[in-house]
Amino acid sequence: MKLIKNLTLAKLIATLTMATGLAGTALAQTAPAAKAATPAAAPATAADMTDGEIKKVDKSTKKITIKHGEIKNLDMPGMTMVFQVKDPAMLDMVKAGDNVKFKVEKADGAIVVTEMQVAR
């Protein structure tokens, strides 16, 4: 009888050890992802920005028309389109014919210019 209790106890310990070991492994695999910090938003570098040419500036609607190259962060090919601007003051920086570098993001279902620099 004592032998059966010892074997049963040994199996219980082995099972708990395995379960704890597996749980520890699962936690170890997910812990780095849980600890990963979200990087703070930094200004776009030239590599993050898209080249474009201003076709029209409409201050009354706070929109700008840009003929642009590929917008990589949105997987969008080059074309001419109208964008909203995050800050209406951007419209004072440019005029039709200016070459620019700009960054766009999707916000509330619209594609919005968030940064813009006149290209030199």
Side-chain angles (χ1 to χ4, degrees), residues 17-119:
T17 303
M18 286 180 56
T20 304
L22 292 175
T25 301
L27 287 174
Q29 289 175 350
T30 59
K35 290 181 183 179
T38 303
T45 63
D48 296 333
M49 299 182 92
T50 302
D51 292 323
E53 179 187 350
I54 304 300
K55 292 298 188 180
K56 181 179 177 183
V57 177
D58 189 341
K59 293 180 184 180
S60 65
T61 61
K62 300 177 185 165
K63 294 183 180 180
I64 190 167
T65 304
I66 305 174
K67 179 180 179 182
H68 62 81
E70 179 184 9
I71 301 175
K72 293 180 182 178
N73 65 312
L74 299 180
D75 195 26
M76 180 183 293
M79 64 181 81
T80 300
M81 60 186 292
V82 178
F83 295 96
Q84 294 179 9
V85 291
K86 181 178 179 179
D87 179 3
M90 286 188 227
L91 301 175
D92 294 327
M93 299 173 23
V94 294
K95 63 185 180 312
D98 284 350
N99 290 315
V100 294
K101 289 191 173 289
F102 67 103
K103 182 174 181 182
V104 295
E105 296 175 4
K106 284 189 177 180
D108 298 325
I111 301 175
V112 180
V113 176
T114 58
E115 295 180 48
M116 186 167 46
Q117 304 167 356
V118 176

